[in-house]
Amino acid sequence: MSESLSCWIVTDGKAGTENQCLGLAEALNLSPTVKRVTTRFPWTHLPAHLWPIPLWAQSPERDQLKAPWPDLLIASGRPSAAPAAAIRKK
């Protein structure tokens, strides 16, 4: 892979899963931007497939997920699953 590819790691900030994502990005020879996300109430109590607008369900106190979108997105943790899928659709 090329260094010119943009890469985001979207994670809930837990060290174990975040380190695995960083290891994958390193193996691909990429320099990722880490985006730590948290889901806000009431979405924290609903399964991710019921979130009507997954990017809106993210807490504004954490890293924001907005364009320009990366070429590659690596995600880990429950709060990052629905936003990662929404970004993939874009």
Side-chain angles (χ1 to χ4, degrees), residues 1 3-4 14 19-20 24 27-29 33 35 42-45 49 58 60-61 65 69 73 75 78-80 86:
M1 296 224 159
E3 277 292 328
S4 63
K14 292 180 181 165
N19 283 337
Q20 290 180 29
L24 177 58
L28 295 171
N29 199 30
T33 299
K35 302 272 191 171
W43 312 115
T44 53
H45 299 290
H49 71 275
Q58 300 308 300
E61 289 91 34
L65 303 176
W69 306 113
L73 187 141
R78 184 179 177 271
S80 65

Side-chain angles (χ1 to χ4, degrees), residues 1-48:
M1 296 224 159
S2 169
E3 277 292 328
S4 63
L5 289 178
S6 62
C7 177
W8 285 1
I9 291 177
V10 179
T11 177
D12 57 7
K14 292 180 181 165
T17 54
E18 188 172 309
N19 283 337
Q20 290 180 29
C21 293
L22 288 167
L24 177 58
E26 183 179 314
L28 295 171
N29 199 30
L30 297 171
S31 298
T33 299
V34 177
K35 302 272 191 171
R36 293 177 184 94
V37 297
T38 303
T39 307
R40 64 177 149 177
F41 181 83
W43 312 115
T44 53
H45 299 290
L46 293 172

